[in-house]
Amino acid sequence: MFQKRKEVSFKQVFWTSTFLIMIYFLFQPFHWINLIEALFILLVIIPTVYYFSNSHSFKAISFENETYFAGVSTFFILLTTVLTILITVLISAFAPNLL
């Protein structure tokens, strides 16, 4: 039997990410920094990763080149982690009354 190659559309990735961020908010105390980080990830990082991992296109990903997809995803996960830590440290250093 032939297996159809699984394709993932941007809409599926976006709504799954939104769902996971909502679950994240259930276990975190609500704070505006968490909201800004979640919006940054949802509206900037996820579309950027999708675009670059899919040969500069928003068409459905067919996972033909899985090593490239894994490399781009890993890079943006590390970038997001570093930016989140950096933003939190800068805010706590220069604006402690906002926390």
Side-chain angles (χ1 to χ4, degrees), residues 55-66:
S55 304
H56 302 278
S57 173
F58 281 100
K59 67 180 191 280
I61 296 177
S62 63
F63 297 109
E64 292 173 357
N65 191 353
E66 291 185 28

Side-chain angles (χ1 to χ4, degrees), residues 75-96:
F75 171 74
F76 278 105
I77 288 169
L78 290 173
L79 182 68
T80 304
T81 305
V82 168
L83 285 176
T84 301
I85 292 169
L86 183 65
I87 289 169
T88 306
V89 167
L90 289 175
I91 288 174
S92 64
F94 295 110

